[in-house]
Amino acid sequence: ETGVTQTPRHLVMGMTNKKSLKCEQHLGHNAMYWYKQSAKKPLELMFVYSLEERVENNSVPSRFSPECPNSSHLFLHLHTLQPEDSALYLCASSQEGGRNSPLHFGNGTRLTVT
Amino acid sequence: GEDVEQSLFLSVREGDSSVINCTYTDSSSTYLYWYKQEPGAGLQLLTYIFSNMDMKQDQRLTVLLNKKDKHLSLRIADTQTGDSAIYFCAESRSGNTGKLIFGQGTTLQVKP
């Protein structure tokens, strides 16, 4: 496995369900990110973890709960979501500390909240 | 402000050149990136340019940077149908590596 892998690729959940999105990076990076991509909106940065510590939380509702158990894995726990939370959720990783730290993205999880 | 702006749509004929434009606002930007997103996929890093450069060429891709006007462009030579995708520009600011500011994306449609 190389790059950034996300599971599941598609998820349909009701508003009362609890589910988790998983991300794994095989690039040896030390930072991981969750982005939300909705139709006709710019990419929204949700959370940033650097060296397994959450360094940014962009006013994301508490129904989204991230977890970073180690530098290779990132989860997004979901509960009591709203239909407007339907979107493509993208995970990314980067190597912090260098001058050039591009993000490497996974293929995303397409979430539909019914 | 934080805005990175792109036109939303570009249509070209196969074999023509495509030019996708982007403007940004922060003069402290260090690196500028172009990403490609195909349907059902994540964002793939295409190329990048350091802010002290004004041009970078990589096979069919040419990136031009006008730092004075804060204008970035991506030229794709001999555009193919496989180039149809959404293209995002993004900037990285000094001391803020890893947190990129993205434009809203330009949809490139390549007609046969």
Side-chain angles (χ1 to χ4, degrees):
Chain A
E1 285 269 22
T2 57
V4 180
T5 55
Q6 290 186 243
T7 55
R9 289 299 310 276
H10 301 272
L11 178 62
V12 179
M13 60 187 287
M15 289 191 282
T16 57
N17 292 159
K18 288 184 182 181
K19 296 284 184 185
S20 296
L21 310 185
K22 180 183 173 183
C23 176
E24 184 173 359
Q25 60 96 1
H26 309 272
L27 300 168
H29 288 164
N30 58 13
M32 296 186 77
Y33 309 76
W34 281 115
Y35 278 85
K36 177 183 178 183
Q37 187 178 32
S38 306
K40 299 179 182 172
K41 280 183 153 184
L43 276 167
E44 299 172 56
L45 177 63
M46 299 175 72
F47 301 105
V48 181
Y49 276 84
S50 179
L51 298 171
E52 299 152 43
E53 181 182 335
R54 191 191 311 180
V55 296
E56 188 151 343
N57 174 348
N58 276 343
S59 305
V60 179
S62 59
R63 57 186 185 268
F64 295 91
S65 174
E67 179 190 0
C68 187
N70 55 61
S71 59
S72 299
H73 293 86
L74 185 65
F75 295 89
L76 189 62
H77 304 298
L78 316 170
H79 64 99
T80 58
L81 294 192
Q82 305 298 310
E84 61 264 29
D85 297 322
S86 298
L88 181 67
Y89 288 85
L90 292 164
C91 173
S93 69
S94 71
Q95 183 60 29
E96 291 304 285
R99 289 175 65 200
N100 182 12
S101 302
L103 296 177
H104 296 259
F105 285 86
N107 282 328
T109 294
R110 172 68 63 186
L111 174 67
T112 304
V113 181
T114 60
Chain B
E2 287 220 342
D3 290 337
V4 176
E5 296 195 352
Q6 302 176 236
S7 53
L8 294 181
F9 186 78
L10 175 65
S11 181
V12 301
R13 293 235 171 254
E14 193 173 19
D16 288 349
S17 292
S18 307
V19 179
I20 302 171
N21 295 301
C22 173
T23 57
Y24 59 99
T25 55
D26 196 313
S27 57
S28 71
S29 296
T30 53
Y31 284 88
L32 294 126
Y33 303 90
W34 283 104
Y35 283 84
K36 175 184 181 183
Q37 186 178 31
E38 296 181 6
L43 277 69
Q44 172 197 354
L45 178 65
L46 277 182
T47 187
Y48 63 89
I49 189 167
F50 185 48
S51 58
N52 71 350
M53 298 169 64
D54 51 22
M55 188 183 91
K56 180 179 180 181
Q57 188 148 2
D58 184 358
Q59 299 182 339
R60 291 191 298 123
L61 305 179
T62 303
V63 179
L64 295 178
L65 176 61
N66 181 329
K67 199 171 180 183
K68 174 175 168 289
D69 294 338
K70 299 189 185 69
H71 183 266
L72 180 74
S73 68
L74 174 69
R75 179 176 180 270
I76 306 174
D78 186 26
T79 313
Q80 303 298 306
T81 53
D83 295 323
S84 294
I86 305 174
Y87 291 81
F88 293 89
C89 69
E91 59 168 342
S92 171
R93 295 174 181 170
S94 177
N96 211 6
T97 55
K99 182 185 172 183
L100 303 186
I101 309 298
F102 285 88
Q104 64 268 57
T106 298
T107 297
L108 175 64
Q109 179 190 65
V110 182
K111 296 179 181 177

